[in-house]
PDB file of all heavy atoms in Angstrom:
ATOM      1  N   LEU A   1       6.821  -3.738   7.424  1.00  0.00           N
ATOM      2  CA  LEU A   1       5.724  -2.781   7.379  1.00  0.00           C
ATOM      3  C   LEU A   1       4.915  -3.004   6.102  1.00  0.00           C
ATOM      4  O   LEU A   1       5.434  -3.466   5.091  1.00  0.00           O
ATOM      5  CB  LEU A   1       6.260  -1.350   7.464  1.00  0.00           C
ATOM      6  CG  LEU A   1       7.112  -1.047   8.700  1.00  0.00           C
ATOM      7  CD1 LEU A   1       7.572   0.403   8.691  1.00  0.00           C
ATOM      8  CD2 LEU A   1       6.376  -1.385   9.982  1.00  0.00           C
ATOM      9  N   ASN A   2       3.644  -2.655   6.153  1.00  0.00           N
ATOM     10  CA  ASN A   2       2.730  -2.975   5.058  1.00  0.00           C
ATOM     11  C   ASN A   2       2.937  -2.130   3.814  1.00  0.00           C
ATOM     12  O   ASN A   2       2.866  -2.635   2.701  1.00  0.00           O
ATOM     13  CB  ASN A   2       1.283  -2.830   5.523  1.00  0.00           C
ATOM     14  CG  ASN A   2       0.918  -3.852   6.562  1.00  0.00           C
ATOM     15  OD1 ASN A   2       1.495  -4.929   6.616  1.00  0.00           O
ATOM     16  ND2 ASN A   2      -0.040  -3.526   7.398  1.00  0.00           N
ATOM     17  N   ALA A   3       3.113  -0.839   3.963  1.00  0.00           N
ATOM     18  CA  ALA A   3       3.192   0.070   2.818  1.00  0.00           C
ATOM     19  C   ALA A   3       4.651   0.347   2.494  1.00  0.00           C
ATOM     20  O   ALA A   3       5.319   1.132   3.173  1.00  0.00           O
ATOM     21  CB  ALA A   3       2.439   1.358   3.102  1.00  0.00           C
ATOM     22  N   ARG A   4       5.119  -0.312   1.446  1.00  0.00           N
ATOM     23  CA  ARG A   4       6.515  -0.147   1.032  1.00  0.00           C
ATOM     24  C   ARG A   4       6.684  -0.746  -0.349  1.00  0.00           C
ATOM     25  O   ARG A   4       5.851  -1.500  -0.820  1.00  0.00           O
ATOM     26  CB  ARG A   4       7.453  -0.825   2.011  1.00  0.00           C
ATOM     27  CG  ARG A   4       7.183  -2.320   2.122  1.00  0.00           C
ATOM     28  CD  ARG A   4       8.063  -2.990   3.168  1.00  0.00           C
ATOM     29  NE  ARG A   4       7.561  -4.262   3.583  1.00  0.00           N
ATOM     30  CZ  ARG A   4       7.664  -5.395   2.890  1.00  0.00           C
ATOM     31  NH1 ARG A   4       8.252  -5.381   1.718  1.00  0.00           N
ATOM     32  NH2 ARG A   4       7.188  -6.520   3.345  1.00  0.00           N
ATOM     33  N   LEU A   5       7.776  -0.380  -0.973  1.00  0.00           N
ATOM     34  CA  LEU A   5       8.160  -0.972  -2.248  1.00  0.00           C
ATOM     35  C   LEU A   5       9.339  -1.905  -2.008  1.00  0.00           C
ATOM     36  O   LEU A   5      10.032  -1.799  -0.991  1.00  0.00           O
ATOM     37  CB  LEU A   5       8.562   0.124  -3.239  1.00  0.00           C
ATOM     38  CG  LEU A   5       7.459   1.081  -3.667  1.00  0.00           C
ATOM     39  CD1 LEU A   5       8.047   2.290  -4.397  1.00  0.00           C
ATOM     40  CD2 LEU A   5       6.434   0.369  -4.540  1.00  0.00           C
ATOM     41  N   ASP A   6       9.603  -2.756  -2.961  1.00  0.00           N
ATOM     42  CA  ASP A   6      10.767  -3.630  -2.887  1.00  0.00           C
ATOM     43  C   ASP A   6      12.014  -2.745  -3.019  1.00  0.00           C
ATOM     44  O   ASP A   6      12.151  -2.016  -4.010  1.00  0.00           O
ATOM     45  CB  ASP A   6      10.698  -4.644  -4.025  1.00  0.00           C
ATOM     46  CG  ASP A   6      11.891  -5.578  -4.086  1.00  0.00           C
ATOM     47  OD1 ASP A   6      12.853  -5.412  -3.306  1.00  0.00           O
ATOM     48  OD2 ASP A   6      11.865  -6.489  -4.929  1.00  0.00           O
ATOM     49  N   PRO A   7      12.915  -2.787  -2.028  1.00  0.00           N
ATOM     50  CA  PRO A   7      14.112  -1.936  -2.110  1.00  0.00           C
ATOM     51  C   PRO A   7      14.925  -2.148  -3.389  1.00  0.00           C
ATOM     52  O   PRO A   7      15.498  -1.195  -3.915  1.00  0.00           O
ATOM     53  CB  PRO A   7      14.925  -2.330  -0.871  1.00  0.00           C
ATOM     54  CG  PRO A   7      13.897  -2.827   0.099  1.00  0.00           C
ATOM     55  CD  PRO A   7      12.849  -3.505  -0.752  1.00  0.00           C
ATOM     56  N   ALA A   8      14.954  -3.366  -3.908  1.00  0.00           N
ATOM     57  CA  ALA A   8      15.692  -3.619  -5.152  1.00  0.00           C
ATOM     58  C   ALA A   8      15.042  -2.865  -6.317  1.00  0.00           C
ATOM     59  O   ALA A   8      15.745  -2.327  -7.183  1.00  0.00           O
ATOM     60  CB  ALA A   8      15.751  -5.118  -5.448  1.00  0.00           C
ATOM     61  N   TRP A   9      13.708  -2.816  -6.341  1.00  0.00           N
ATOM     62  CA  TRP A   9      13.011  -2.080  -7.395  1.00  0.00           C
ATOM     63  C   TRP A   9      13.305  -0.586  -7.270  1.00  0.00           C
ATOM     64  O   TRP A   9      13.546   0.098  -8.268  1.00  0.00           O
ATOM     65  CB  TRP A   9      11.498  -2.340  -7.331  1.00  0.00           C
ATOM     66  CG  TRP A   9      10.780  -1.754  -8.492  1.00  0.00           C
ATOM     67  CD1 TRP A   9      10.539  -2.349  -9.692  1.00  0.00           C
ATOM     68  CD2 TRP A   9      10.224  -0.428  -8.587  1.00  0.00           C
ATOM     69  NE1 TRP A   9       9.874  -1.475 -10.531  1.00  0.00           N
ATOM     70  CE2 TRP A   9       9.672  -0.294  -9.876  1.00  0.00           C
ATOM     71  CE3 TRP A   9      10.139   0.641  -7.708  1.00  0.00           C
ATOM     72  CZ2 TRP A   9       9.042   0.878 -10.294  1.00  0.00           C
ATOM     73  CZ3 TRP A   9       9.523   1.808  -8.137  1.00  0.00           C
ATOM     74  CH2 TRP A   9       8.976   1.917  -9.424  1.00  0.00           C
ATOM     75  N   VAL A  10      13.289  -0.080  -6.038  1.00  0.00           N
ATOM     76  CA  VAL A  10      13.578   1.336  -5.808  1.00  0.00           C
ATOM     77  C   VAL A  10      14.998   1.655  -6.271  1.00  0.00           C
ATOM     78  O   VAL A  10      15.220   2.639  -6.976  1.00  0.00           O
ATOM     79  CB  VAL A  10      13.375   1.712  -4.323  1.00  0.00           C
ATOM     80  CG1 VAL A  10      13.850   3.131  -4.043  1.00  0.00           C
ATOM     81  CG2 VAL A  10      11.912   1.545  -3.931  1.00  0.00           C
ATOM     82  N   GLN A  11      15.940   0.814  -5.895  1.00  0.00           N
ATOM     83  CA  GLN A  11      17.339   1.026  -6.283  1.00  0.00           C
ATOM     84  C   GLN A  11      17.484   1.045  -7.805  1.00  0.00           C
ATOM     85  O   GLN A  11      18.209   1.861  -8.359  1.00  0.00           O
ATOM     86  CB  GLN A  11      18.209  -0.091  -5.691  1.00  0.00           C
ATOM     87  CG  GLN A  11      19.683   0.091  -5.898  1.00  0.00           C
ATOM     88  CD  GLN A  11      20.298   1.027  -4.888  1.00  0.00           C
ATOM     89  OE1 GLN A  11      19.801   1.180  -3.793  1.00  0.00           O
ATOM     90  NE2 GLN A  11      21.383   1.664  -5.252  1.00  0.00           N
ATOM     91  N   ALA A  12      16.760   0.175  -8.495  1.00  0.00           N
ATOM     92  CA  ALA A  12      16.867   0.062  -9.952  1.00  0.00           C
ATOM     93  C   ALA A  12      16.137   1.185 -10.682  1.00  0.00           C
ATOM     94  O   ALA A  12      16.516   1.535 -11.800  1.00  0.00           O
ATOM     95  CB  ALA A  12      16.316  -1.287 -10.411  1.00  0.00           C
ATOM     96  N   ASN A  13      15.092   1.751 -10.078  1.00  0.00           N
ATOM     97  CA  ASN A  13      14.225   2.679 -10.812  1.00  0.00           C
ATOM     98  C   ASN A  13      14.249   4.128 -10.344  1.00  0.00           C
ATOM     99  O   ASN A  13      13.885   5.016 -11.117  1.00  0.00           O
ATOM    100  CB  ASN A  13      12.782   2.164 -10.781  1.00  0.00           C
ATOM    101  CG  ASN A  13      12.627   0.936 -11.638  1.00  0.00           C
ATOM    102  OD1 ASN A  13      12.571   1.024 -12.848  1.00  0.00           O
ATOM    103  ND2 ASN A  13      12.599  -0.228 -10.999  1.00  0.00           N
ATOM    104  N   ALA A  14      14.634   4.388  -9.118  1.00  0.00           N
ATOM    105  CA  ALA A  14      14.672   5.773  -8.626  1.00  0.00           C
ATOM    106  C   ALA A  14      15.797   6.534  -9.314  1.00  0.00           C
ATOM    107  O   ALA A  14      16.888   5.992  -9.529  1.00  0.00           O
ATOM    108  CB  ALA A  14      14.863   5.803  -7.115  1.00  0.00           C
ATOM    109  N   ALA A  15      15.523   7.773  -9.665  1.00  0.00           N
ATOM    110  CA  ALA A  15      16.561   8.624 -10.249  1.00  0.00           C
ATOM    111  C   ALA A  15      17.678   8.792  -9.222  1.00  0.00           C
ATOM    112  O   ALA A  15      17.414   9.197  -8.089  1.00  0.00           O
ATOM    113  CB  ALA A  15      15.971   9.976 -10.626  1.00  0.00           C
ATOM    114  N   PRO A  16      18.916   8.457  -9.572  1.00  0.00           N
ATOM    115  CA  PRO A  16      20.004   8.523  -8.590  1.00  0.00           C
ATOM    116  C   PRO A  16      20.137   9.888  -7.913  1.00  0.00           C
ATOM    117  O   PRO A  16      20.413   9.963  -6.729  1.00  0.00           O
ATOM    118  CB  PRO A  16      21.253   8.194  -9.412  1.00  0.00           C
ATOM    119  CG  PRO A  16      20.742   7.455 -10.597  1.00  0.00           C
ATOM    120  CD  PRO A  16      19.369   7.994 -10.869  1.00  0.00           C
ATOM    121  N   ASP A  17      19.940  10.950  -8.673  1.00  0.00           N
ATOM    122  CA  ASP A  17      20.016  12.302  -8.113  1.00  0.00           C
ATOM    123  C   ASP A  17      18.633  12.912  -7.956  1.00  0.00           C
ATOM    124  O   ASP A  17      18.499  14.134  -7.890  1.00  0.00           O
ATOM    125  CB  ASP A  17      20.875  13.201  -9.009  1.00  0.00           C
ATOM    126  CG  ASP A  17      22.315  12.725  -9.081  1.00  0.00           C
ATOM    127  OD1 ASP A  17      22.812  12.190  -8.071  1.00  0.00           O
ATOM    128  OD2 ASP A  17      22.938  12.867 -10.151  1.00  0.00           O
ATOM    129  N   GLY A  18      17.619  12.058  -7.903  1.00  0.00           N
ATOM    130  CA  GLY A  18      16.236  12.523  -7.853  1.00  0.00           C
ATOM    131  C   GLY A  18      15.837  13.119  -6.519  1.00  0.00           C
ATOM    132  O   GLY A  18      16.443  12.863  -5.487  1.00  0.00           O
ATOM    133  N   VAL A  19      14.800  13.920  -6.592  1.00  0.00           N
ATOM    134  CA  VAL A  19      14.176  14.492  -5.406  1.00  0.00           C
ATOM    135  C   VAL A  19      12.827  13.804  -5.253  1.00  0.00           C
ATOM    136  O   VAL A  19      12.065  13.700  -6.216  1.00  0.00           O
ATOM    137  CB  VAL A  19      13.998  16.019  -5.545  1.00  0.00           C
ATOM    138  CG1 VAL A  19      13.236  16.586  -4.367  1.00  0.00           C
ATOM    139  CG2 VAL A  19      15.356  16.685  -5.696  1.00  0.00           C
ATOM    140  N   HIS A  20      12.553  13.323  -4.061  1.00  0.00           N
ATOM    141  CA  HIS A  20      11.328  12.590  -3.769  1.00  0.00           C
ATOM    142  C   HIS A  20      10.641  13.278  -2.594  1.00  0.00           C
ATOM    143  O   HIS A  20      11.290  14.018  -1.845  1.00  0.00           O
ATOM    144  CB  HIS A  20      11.647  11.139  -3.436  1.00  0.00           C
ATOM    145  CG  HIS A  20      12.679  10.540  -4.344  1.00  0.00           C
ATOM    146  ND1 HIS A  20      12.400  10.135  -5.634  1.00  0.00           N
ATOM    147  CD2 HIS A  20      14.003  10.325  -4.161  1.00  0.00           C
ATOM    148  CE1 HIS A  20      13.514   9.668  -6.198  1.00  0.00           C
ATOM    149  NE2 HIS A  20      14.501   9.786  -5.326  1.00  0.00           N
ATOM    150  N   HIS A  21       9.345  13.034  -2.426  1.00  0.00           N
ATOM    151  CA  HIS A  21       8.597  13.708  -1.366  1.00  0.00           C
ATOM    152  C   HIS A  21       7.736  12.718  -0.584  1.00  0.00           C
ATOM    153  O   HIS A  21       7.191  11.776  -1.171  1.00  0.00           O
ATOM    154  CB  HIS A  21       7.687  14.792  -1.961  1.00  0.00           C
ATOM    155  CG  HIS A  21       8.449  15.895  -2.607  1.00  0.00           C
ATOM    156  ND1 HIS A  21       8.845  15.850  -3.925  1.00  0.00           N
ATOM    157  CD2 HIS A  21       8.894  17.069  -2.118  1.00  0.00           C
ATOM    158  CE1 HIS A  21       9.507  16.964  -4.211  1.00  0.00           C
ATOM    159  NE2 HIS A  21       9.554  17.715  -3.146  1.00  0.00           N
ATOM    160  N   LEU A  22       7.619  12.962   0.706  1.00  0.00           N
ATOM    161  CA  LEU A  22       6.741  12.194   1.590  1.00  0.00           C
ATOM    162  C   LEU A  22       5.688  13.125   2.160  1.00  0.00           C
ATOM    163  O   LEU A  22       6.020  14.180   2.711  1.00  0.00           O
ATOM    164  CB  LEU A  22       7.541  11.576   2.746  1.00  0.00           C
ATOM    165  CG  LEU A  22       8.535  10.485   2.390  1.00  0.00           C
ATOM    166  CD1 LEU A  22       9.370  10.119   3.618  1.00  0.00           C
ATOM    167  CD2 LEU A  22       7.827   9.258   1.841  1.00  0.00           C
ATOM    168  N   TRP A  23       4.437  12.720   2.049  1.00  0.00           N
ATOM    169  CA  TRP A  23       3.315  13.499   2.552  1.00  0.00           C
ATOM    170  C   TRP A  23       2.553  12.600   3.518  1.00  0.00           C
ATOM    171  O   TRP A  23       1.882  11.660   3.086  1.00  0.00           O
ATOM    172  CB  TRP A  23       2.423  13.909   1.388  1.00  0.00           C
ATOM    173  CG  TRP A  23       1.315  14.843   1.720  1.00  0.00           C
ATOM    174  CD1 TRP A  23       0.381  14.710   2.717  1.00  0.00           C
ATOM    175  CD2 TRP A  23       0.995  16.058   1.049  1.00  0.00           C
ATOM    176  NE1 TRP A  23      -0.487  15.762   2.693  1.00  0.00           N
ATOM    177  CE2 TRP A  23      -0.131  16.602   1.676  1.00  0.00           C
ATOM    178  CE3 TRP A  23       1.548  16.720  -0.033  1.00  0.00           C
ATOM    179  CZ2 TRP A  23      -0.717  17.793   1.256  1.00  0.00           C
ATOM    180  CZ3 TRP A  23       0.959  17.902  -0.443  1.00  0.00           C
ATOM    181  CH2 TRP A  23      -0.150  18.431   0.198  1.00  0.00           C
ATOM    182  N   PRO A  24       2.622  12.841   4.821  1.00  0.00           N
ATOM    183  CA  PRO A  24       1.950  11.964   5.794  1.00  0.00           C
ATOM    184  C   PRO A  24       0.434  11.962   5.598  1.00  0.00           C
ATOM    185  O   PRO A  24      -0.172  13.009   5.404  1.00  0.00           O
ATOM    186  CB  PRO A  24       2.301  12.568   7.149  1.00  0.00           C
ATOM    187  CG  PRO A  24       3.400  13.523   6.900  1.00  0.00           C
ATOM    188  CD  PRO A  24       3.320  13.938   5.465  1.00  0.00           C
ATOM    189  N   ALA A  25      -0.154  10.767   5.637  1.00  0.00           N
ATOM    190  CA  ALA A  25      -1.599  10.636   5.434  1.00  0.00           C
ATOM    191  C   ALA A  25      -2.314  10.202   6.716  1.00  0.00           C
ATOM    192  O   ALA A  25      -3.291  10.831   7.114  1.00  0.00           O
ATOM    193  CB  ALA A  25      -1.883   9.643   4.316  1.00  0.00           C
ATOM    194  N   VAL A  26      -1.841   9.137   7.337  1.00  0.00           N
ATOM    195  CA  VAL A  26      -2.490   8.600   8.545  1.00  0.00           C
ATOM    196  C   VAL A  26      -1.449   7.925   9.432  1.00  0.00           C
ATOM    197  O   VAL A  26      -0.370   7.563   8.973  1.00  0.00           O
ATOM    198  CB  VAL A  26      -3.594   7.556   8.208  1.00  0.00           C
ATOM    199  CG1 VAL A  26      -4.725   8.168   7.408  1.00  0.00           C
ATOM    200  CG2 VAL A  26      -3.021   6.359   7.481  1.00  0.00           C
ATOM    201  N   TRP A  27      -1.825   7.743  10.694  1.00  0.00           N
ATOM    202  CA  TRP A  27      -1.046   6.884  11.580  1.00  0.00           C
ATOM    203  C   TRP A  27      -1.434   5.457  11.278  1.00  0.00           C
ATOM    204  O   TRP A  27      -2.595   5.153  11.021  1.00  0.00           O
ATOM    205  CB  TRP A  27      -1.334   7.194  13.050  1.00  0.00           C
ATOM    206  CG  TRP A  27      -0.705   8.462  13.528  1.00  0.00           C
ATOM    207  CD1 TRP A  27      -1.340   9.629  13.813  1.00  0.00           C
ATOM    208  CD2 TRP A  27       0.678   8.687  13.787  1.00  0.00           C
ATOM    209  NE1 TRP A  27      -0.431  10.570  14.217  1.00  0.00           N
ATOM    210  CE2 TRP A  27       0.811  10.018  14.218  1.00  0.00           C
ATOM    211  CE3 TRP A  27       1.818   7.885  13.696  1.00  0.00           C
ATOM    212  CZ2 TRP A  27       2.039  10.575  14.565  1.00  0.00           C
ATOM    213  CZ3 TRP A  27       3.040   8.438  14.033  1.00  0.00           C
ATOM    214  CH2 TRP A  27       3.141   9.767  14.458  1.00  0.00           C
ATOM    215  N   ASN A  28      -0.470   4.566  11.295  1.00  0.00           N
ATOM    216  CA  ASN A  28      -0.723   3.155  11.050  1.00  0.00           C
ATOM    217  C   ASN A  28      -0.068   2.333  12.143  1.00  0.00           C
ATOM    218  O   ASN A  28       0.983   2.701  12.663  1.00  0.00           O
ATOM    219  CB  ASN A  28      -0.140   2.744   9.686  1.00  0.00           C
ATOM    220  CG  ASN A  28      -0.466   1.327   9.321  1.00  0.00           C
ATOM    221  OD1 ASN A  28      -1.633   0.963   9.247  1.00  0.00           O
ATOM    222  ND2 ASN A  28       0.547   0.518   9.100  1.00  0.00           N
ATOM    223  N   SER A  29      -0.705   1.248  12.508  1.00  0.00           N
ATOM    224  CA  SER A  29      -0.091   0.330  13.457  1.00  0.00           C
ATOM    225  C   SER A  29      -0.438  -1.096  13.054  1.00  0.00           C
ATOM    226  O   SER A  29      -1.393  -1.334  12.318  1.00  0.00           O
ATOM    227  CB  SER A  29      -0.561   0.613  14.884  1.00  0.00           C
ATOM    228  OG  SER A  29      -1.952   0.403  14.988  1.00  0.00           O
ATOM    229  N   LEU A  30       0.371  -2.013  13.529  1.00  0.00           N
ATOM    230  CA  LEU A  30       0.163  -3.430  13.243  1.00  0.00           C
ATOM    231  C   LEU A  30      -0.353  -4.071  14.535  1.00  0.00           C
ATOM    232  O   LEU A  30       0.432  -4.457  15.389  1.00  0.00           O
ATOM    233  CB  LEU A  30       1.466  -4.077  12.782  1.00  0.00           C
ATOM    234  CG  LEU A  30       2.146  -3.425  11.580  1.00  0.00           C
ATOM    235  CD1 LEU A  30       3.491  -4.075  11.299  1.00  0.00           C
ATOM    236  CD2 LEU A  30       1.258  -3.479  10.365  1.00  0.00           C
ATOM    237  N   SER A  31      -1.663  -4.159  14.669  1.00  0.00           N
ATOM    238  CA  SER A  31      -2.254  -4.658  15.919  1.00  0.00           C
ATOM    239  C   SER A  31      -1.825  -6.092  16.227  1.00  0.00           C
ATOM    240  O   SER A  31      -1.728  -6.474  17.390  1.00  0.00           O
ATOM    241  CB  SER A  31      -3.777  -4.554  15.872  1.00  0.00           C
ATOM    242  OG  SER A  31      -4.274  -5.281  14.771  1.00  0.00           O
ATOM    243  N   HIS A  32      -1.525  -6.854  15.218  1.00  0.00           N
ATOM    244  CA  HIS A  32      -1.090  -8.237  15.417  1.00  0.00           C
ATOM    245  C   HIS A  32       0.408  -8.332  15.746  1.00  0.00           C
ATOM    246  O   HIS A  32       0.902  -9.410  16.054  1.00  0.00           O
ATOM    247  CB  HIS A  32      -1.405  -9.071  14.169  1.00  0.00           C
ATOM    248  CG  HIS A  32      -0.667  -8.633  12.949  1.00  0.00           C
ATOM    249  ND1 HIS A  32      -0.965  -7.460  12.282  1.00  0.00           N
ATOM    250  CD2 HIS A  32       0.362  -9.197  12.279  1.00  0.00           C
ATOM    251  CE1 HIS A  32      -0.145  -7.326  11.249  1.00  0.00           C
ATOM    252  NE2 HIS A  32       0.665  -8.356  11.230  1.00  0.00           N
ATOM    253  N   ARG A  33       1.087  -7.187  15.692  1.00  0.00           N
ATOM    254  CA  ARG A  33       2.520  -7.151  16.016  1.00  0.00           C
ATOM    255  C   ARG A  33       2.798  -5.963  16.933  1.00  0.00           C
ATOM    256  O   ARG A  33       3.309  -4.936  16.507  1.00  0.00           O
ATOM    257  CB  ARG A  33       3.342  -7.029  14.732  1.00  0.00           C
ATOM    258  CG  ARG A  33       3.233  -8.277  13.861  1.00  0.00           C
ATOM    259  CD  ARG A  33       4.093  -8.220  12.639  1.00  0.00           C
ATOM    260  NE  ARG A  33       5.477  -7.867  12.936  1.00  0.00           N
ATOM    261  CZ  ARG A  33       6.255  -7.211  12.078  1.00  0.00           C
ATOM    262  NH1 ARG A  33       5.809  -6.846  10.903  1.00  0.00           N
ATOM    263  NH2 ARG A  33       7.497  -6.926  12.393  1.00  0.00           N
ATOM    264  N   PRO A  34       2.478  -6.104  18.229  1.00  0.00           N
ATOM    265  CA  PRO A  34       2.662  -4.986  19.152  1.00  0.00           C
ATOM    266  C   PRO A  34       4.122  -4.565  19.337  1.00  0.00           C
ATOM    267  O   PRO A  34       4.387  -3.476  19.842  1.00  0.00           O
ATOM    268  CB  PRO A  34       2.058  -5.495  20.461  1.00  0.00           C
ATOM    269  CG  PRO A  34       1.994  -6.975  20.324  1.00  0.00           C
ATOM    270  CD  PRO A  34       1.922  -7.285  18.863  1.00  0.00           C
ATOM    271  N   ASP A  35       5.076  -5.385  18.902  1.00  0.00           N
ATOM    272  CA  ASP A  35       6.493  -5.040  19.005  1.00  0.00           C
ATOM    273  C   ASP A  35       6.918  -3.988  17.987  1.00  0.00           C
ATOM    274  O   ASP A  35       7.965  -3.367  18.128  1.00  0.00           O
ATOM    275  CB  ASP A  35       7.356  -6.299  18.830  1.00  0.00           C
ATOM    276  CG  ASP A  35       7.099  -7.001  17.498  1.00  0.00           C
ATOM    277  OD1 ASP A  35       5.914  -7.228  17.173  1.00  0.00           O
ATOM    278  OD2 ASP A  35       8.072  -7.328  16.787  1.00  0.00           O
ATOM    279  N   VAL A  36       6.096  -3.773  16.969  1.00  0.00           N
ATOM    280  CA  VAL A  36       6.417  -2.793  15.924  1.00  0.00           C
ATOM    281  C   VAL A  36       5.733  -1.473  16.271  1.00  0.00           C
ATOM    282  O   VAL A  36       4.519  -1.422  16.436  1.00  0.00           O
ATOM    283  CB  VAL A  36       5.948  -3.284  14.534  1.00  0.00           C
ATOM    284  CG1 VAL A  36       6.234  -2.234  13.473  1.00  0.00           C
ATOM    285  CG2 VAL A  36       6.622  -4.602  14.180  1.00  0.00           C
ATOM    286  N   PRO A  37       6.500  -0.403  16.402  1.00  0.00           N
ATOM    287  CA  PRO A  37       5.897   0.891  16.758  1.00  0.00           C
ATOM    288  C   PRO A  37       4.980   1.430  15.667  1.00  0.00           C
ATOM    289  O   PRO A  37       5.063   1.014  14.505  1.00  0.00           O
ATOM    290  CB  PRO A  37       7.105   1.812  16.962  1.00  0.00           C
ATOM    291  CG  PRO A  37       8.254   1.136  16.305  1.00  0.00           C
ATOM    292  CD  PRO A  37       7.935  -0.324  16.207  1.00  0.00           C
ATOM    293  N   ARG A  38       4.127   2.364  16.064  1.00  0.00           N
ATOM    294  CA  ARG A  38       3.243   3.031  15.093  1.00  0.00           C
ATOM    295  C   ARG A  38       4.084   3.725  14.034  1.00  0.00           C
ATOM    296  O   ARG A  38       5.194   4.165  14.299  1.00  0.00           O
ATOM    297  CB  ARG A  38       2.356   4.060  15.798  1.00  0.00           C
ATOM    298  CG  ARG A  38       1.281   3.417  16.646  1.00  0.00           C
ATOM    299  CD  ARG A  38       0.483   4.461  17.385  1.00  0.00           C
ATOM    300  NE  ARG A  38      -0.285   5.308  16.492  1.00  0.00           N
ATOM    301  CZ  ARG A  38      -1.515   5.059  16.066  1.00  0.00           C
ATOM    302  NH1 ARG A  38      -2.109   3.965  16.430  1.00  0.00           N
ATOM    303  NH2 ARG A  38      -2.143   5.896  15.275  1.00  0.00           N
ATOM    304  N   GLN A  39       3.514   3.819  12.857  1.00  0.00           N
ATOM    305  CA  GLN A  39       4.214   4.451  11.748  1.00  0.00           C
ATOM    306  C   GLN A  39       3.311   5.498  11.124  1.00  0.00           C
ATOM    307  O   GLN A  39       2.095   5.451  11.269  1.00  0.00           O
ATOM    308  CB  GLN A  39       4.550   3.445  10.638  1.00  0.00           C
ATOM    309  CG  GLN A  39       5.039   2.102  11.056  1.00  0.00           C
ATOM    310  CD  GLN A  39       3.914   1.083  11.059  1.00  0.00           C
ATOM    311  OE1 GLN A  39       3.166   0.956  10.110  1.00  0.00           O
ATOM    312  NE2 GLN A  39       3.797   0.339  12.145  1.00  0.00           N
ATOM    313  N   LEU A  40       3.949   6.388  10.414  1.00  0.00           N
ATOM    314  CA  LEU A  40       3.224   7.322   9.555  1.00  0.00           C
ATOM    315  C   LEU A  40       3.107   6.676   8.189  1.00  0.00           C
ATOM    316  O   LEU A  40       4.119   6.284   7.593  1.00  0.00           O
ATOM    317  CB  LEU A  40       3.983   8.640   9.424  1.00  0.00           C
ATOM    318  CG  LEU A  40       3.909   9.566  10.611  1.00  0.00           C
ATOM    319  CD1 LEU A  40       4.976  10.642  10.505  1.00  0.00           C
ATOM    320  CD2 LEU A  40       2.528  10.185  10.686  1.00  0.00           C
ATOM    321  N   ARG A  41       1.894   6.525   7.713  1.00  0.00           N
ATOM    322  CA  ARG A  41       1.715   6.062   6.334  1.00  0.00           C
ATOM    323  C   ARG A  41       1.740   7.315   5.473  1.00  0.00           C
ATOM    324  O   ARG A  41       0.884   8.176   5.570  1.00  0.00           O
ATOM    325  CB  ARG A  41       0.409   5.306   6.172  1.00  0.00           C
ATOM    326  CG  ARG A  41       0.202   4.894   4.723  1.00  0.00           C
ATOM    327  CD  ARG A  41      -0.561   3.641   4.537  1.00  0.00           C
ATOM    328  NE  ARG A  41       0.087   2.507   5.167  1.00  0.00           N
ATOM    329  CZ  ARG A  41      -0.559   1.389   5.474  1.00  0.00           C
ATOM    330  NH1 ARG A  41      -1.830   1.259   5.199  1.00  0.00           N
ATOM    331  NH2 ARG A  41       0.087   0.388   6.049  1.00  0.00           N
ATOM    332  N   CYS A  42       2.767   7.391   4.645  1.00  0.00           N
ATOM    333  CA  CYS A  42       2.976   8.574   3.815  1.00  0.00           C
ATOM    334  C   CYS A  42       2.714   8.258   2.353  1.00  0.00           C
ATOM    335  O   CYS A  42       3.020   7.166   1.880  1.00  0.00           O
ATOM    336  CB  CYS A  42       4.421   9.050   3.938  1.00  0.00           C
ATOM    337  SG  CYS A  42       4.912   9.546   5.590  1.00  0.00           S
ATOM    338  N   GLU A  43       2.175   9.253   1.652  1.00  0.00           N
ATOM    339  CA  GLU A  43       2.162   9.181   0.203  1.00  0.00           C
ATOM    340  C   GLU A  43       3.577   9.509  -0.247  1.00  0.00           C
ATOM    341  O   GLU A  43       4.199  10.439   0.259  1.00  0.00           O
ATOM    342  CB  GLU A  43       1.181  10.186  -0.382  1.00  0.00           C
ATOM    343  CG  GLU A  43      -0.265   9.829  -0.146  1.00  0.00           C
ATOM    344  CD  GLU A  43      -1.183  10.814  -0.834  1.00  0.00           C
ATOM    345  OE1 GLU A  43      -1.450  10.651  -2.040  1.00  0.00           O
ATOM    346  OE2 GLU A  43      -1.607  11.760  -0.144  1.00  0.00           O
TER     347      GLU A  43
END
């Protein structure tokens, strides 16, 4: 998917006991990859 961070960076930098939030902004799809379902692009 297009909007993401490197999981290794997240693992190294996210507060282990942290609280995080997702705020949906738009529906996103990969027109060149019809096998991938639509996603919510979240802040």
Side-chain angles (χ1 to χ4, degrees):
L1 303 181
N2 294 334
R4 60 184 162 78
L5 295 167
D6 178 355
W9 188 89
V10 172
Q11 186 82 26
N13 289 283
D17 297 327
V19 175
H20 317 284
H21 295 88
L22 292 172
W23 187 309
V26 297
W27 285 108
N28 185 58
S29 63
L30 304 175
S31 58
H32 64 288
R33 293 184 51 210
D35 58 311
V36 178
R38 288 177 66 89
Q39 319 98 49
L40 284 165
R41 177 149 300 160
C42 298
E43 289 184 84

